[in-house]
Amino acid sequence: MLSYIWPLALIIVSNTVYQICAKGIPPQMNTYASMTVTYFVATVFSLAAFLVSSKGGNIIREFSGANWATVVLGIVITGLEVGFIFAYKSGWKVSSLSTVSNGLLAIVMIFVGFFLYHEKIEPTKIAGIILCLAGLFLINK
């Protein structure tokens, strides 16, 4: 059970701190310069985590296992980060941006699951979509 719960807790804690940090990027700082620092730190942290967790693993060998998804993930993570930073710079509130984006993402992912992974769209998911849209409407009032 813990192996099921701790990743969710990590996501929630990390996403909370992420939103605070994205909102805290100085408005006058070039977003891409900020991202360069961010990804340098992420690279160092990831390398350290690899060395600690792999116990003598060969990182070059691990790189050879990368596929298209690894490369595209790097691109879309950059888009995600830049999107949040620009949204905050344009005036979005920290109390609503994450909720709105995640609510809309939840709706999109229902259809991604249906079309790409053949997951069923059950009546409860349709009800969830309706509730999400109603919630998004109320949050933005």
Side-chain angles (χ1 to χ4, degrees), residues 1 6 8 10 28 52-53 66 75 99 117 120 132 137-138:
M1 181 63 133
W6 83 262
L8 180 61
L10 179 61
Q28 68 279 7
V52 168
S53 68
I75 295 167
T99 305
Y117 300 101
K120 294 180 181 178
C132 267
F137 174 76
L138 292 173

Side-chain angles (χ1 to χ4, degrees), residues 4-135:
Y4 192 74
I5 298 295
W6 83 262
L8 180 61
L10 179 61
I11 291 167
I12 292 167
V13 170
S14 295
N15 206 340
T16 301
V17 175
Y18 167 85
Q19 297 299 331
I20 293 167
C21 292
K23 177 83 170 159
I25 301 293
Q28 68 279 7
M29 183 178 192
N30 181 288
T31 300
Y32 299 102
S34 170
M35 293 297 296
T36 302
V37 173
T38 298
Y39 281 102
F40 175 76
V41 172
T43 299
V44 170
F45 184 79
S46 295
L47 178 60
F50 171 80
L51 295 172
V52 168
S53 68
S54 68
K55 297 195 172 52
N58 183 332
I59 197 162
I60 303 301
R61 184 176 56 235
E62 293 298 325
F63 287 162
S64 70
N67 66 1
W68 67 270
T70 304
V71 174
V72 173
L73 185 60
I75 295 167
V76 298
I77 285 174
T78 303
L80 178 67
E81 309 268 358
V82 167
F84 272 109
I85 293 169
F86 278 122
Y88 284 129
K89 286 183 176 186
S90 74
W92 274 87
K93 294 181 178 167
V94 73
S95 61
S96 59
L97 178 60
S98 181
T99 305
V100 169
S101 65
N102 283 316
L104 293 172
L105 175 63
I107 293 168
V108 168
M109 292 310 295
I110 288 172
F111 293 102
V112 168
F114 177 75
F115 288 112
L116 294 182
Y117 300 101
H118 310 291
E119 298 172 0
K120 294 180 181 178
I121 297 181
E122 299 161 351
T124 54
K125 288 185 180 177
I126 293 170
I129 290 171
I130 293 167
L131 287 172
C132 267
L133 290 173

